[in-house]
DNA sequence: ATTTTCCCGACTGATATAGTCAGGATAGAC
DNA sequence: GTCTATCCTGACTATATCAGTCGGGAAAAT
């Protein structure tokens, strides 16, 4: 239900790899694909899409490749995920995705609930930077919500 | 990405309807389906599945129908949702659903993150009872995580 | 000029979800 | 006892989304 889509996972693994190699100049798609076990052609699509958000810069040609446009500490997981899914049109019911008309628009007993879950998720995403992931520990203020498996 | 599946939404709307009519004896599937705009045949499947968890009781025959087996205050959204999706096999990576083998098993930089998001979601689900939904307000201790739309 | 890389849109295939269908079982109405 | 309204049950189909591919084009270095 709330397992992130492959595309998002690939994107995060890719920028994570870029963060790890920051300072080594542009990293080729093929290098990232190999290191993170991502289909090469698919990763092309994903990184290109990410470029549109300004989180990564691309360089073409012989010594081309991708690089983060900001320090890993300034990029959050939320930044990455947000730019992959087209955001839901404002005023639209969170639950009734697509442009289907919700039969309970305005008086839905659950819309608030879905909204809260979504906010809780992005609160975590937005408070986790690539640097946090590199350091292999969760941000301090979020740890208390962890609980057991 | 984290919009709940239709099945779960239908299930919740159905038990919500049952909670609303509690005390009126068994409620027919057709009545629930009409009130909540759920395909009749599909709702049959869903309610039958829910019955397996003991949250609802069914009665057959002329005056048959469904009813909650417990007071609305004793049933949480988490209870309902948990019984709809087969739980992920233990030890399995949260992200790499199905039984696909994760190439980063054990050393995945993100598994902790996914786990935390999942936990945060179920913390909200488990602290929201049907009674809360009937009262049309969120449980107090969860309100602080709401934020803007 | 050629190679190596990213760029870009259209396309295909797999998978999970959403929903249907036909018929059987049970309980009450008559 | 028969009839009807209801839930029960599994197998089935359709659809939408996701995952991934393909072919070719454009910049940058050699």
């Amino acid at each position: 239900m709330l397992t992130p889509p492959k595309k998002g996972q690939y994107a995060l693994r890719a920028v994570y790899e870029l963060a790890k190699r920051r300072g080594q100049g542009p990293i080729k798609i093929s290098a990232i694909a190999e290191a993170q076990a991502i289909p090469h052609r698919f990763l092309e699509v994903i990184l290109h899409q990410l470029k549109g958000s300004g989180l990564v810069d691309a360089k073409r040609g012989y010594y081309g490749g991708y690089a983060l446009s900001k320090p890993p500490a300034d990029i959050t997981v939320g930044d990455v995920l947000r730019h992959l899914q087209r955001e839901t049109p404002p005023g639209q019911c969170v639950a009734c995705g697509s442009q289907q008309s919700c039969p309970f628009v305005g008086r839905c007993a659950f819309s608030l609930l879905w909204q809260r879950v979504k906010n809780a998720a992005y609160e975590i995403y937005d408070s986790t930077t690539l640097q946090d992931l590199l350091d292999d520990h969760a941000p301090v203020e979020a740890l208390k919500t962890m609980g057991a498996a």
Side-chain angles (χ1 to χ4, degrees), chain A:
Chain A
M1 169 186 259
L2 33 76
T3 67
K6 275 282 201 313
K7 194 175 181 181
Q9 294 179 51
Y10 287 161
L12 284 171
R13 297 226 295 263
V15 292
Y16 175 80
E17 188 69 21
L18 288 181
K20 207 157 59 174
R21 306 198 189 187
R22 184 160 168 82
Q24 303 178 17
I27 311 295
K28 302 187 215 307
I29 287 181
S30 51
I32 304 170
E34 189 181 6
Q36 291 290 332
I38 303 170
H40 178 272
R41 224 56 194 258
F42 195 24
L43 184 55
E44 259 189 22
V45 174
I46 295 169
L47 281 176
H48 174 63
Q49 191 173 346
L50 267 186
K51 202 189 80 148
S53 69
L55 292 172
V56 298
D57 288 323
K59 193 176 182 217
R60 292 202 264 197
Y62 197 90
Y63 285 117
Y66 278 92
L68 295 182
S69 60
K70 293 188 287 187
D74 293 348
I75 299 179
T76 71
V77 170
D79 292 331
V80 175
L81 292 182
R82 247 185 277 270
H83 283 286
L84 286 181
Q85 66 234 356
R86 71 219 171 293
E87 52 212 273
T88 37
Q92 196 66 272
C93 173
V94 184
C96 313
S98 313
Q99 58 266 47
Q100 288 193 350
S101 62
C102 173
F104 299 92
V105 54
R107 62 181 69 189
C108 176
F110 297 97
S111 64
L112 181 61
L113 180 66
W114 306 137
Q115 195 60 56
R116 282 176 46 227
V117 169
K118 187 176 173 184
N119 288 343
Y122 270 96
E123 222 168 85
I124 296 176
Y125 290 150
D126 290 336
S127 63
T128 304
T129 70
L130 292 183
Q131 189 63 53
D132 290 328
L133 293 171
L134 284 177
D135 297 345
D136 197 26
H137 63 63
V140 175
E141 75 267 39
L143 271 172
K144 51 190 174 193
T145 67
M146 272 193 52

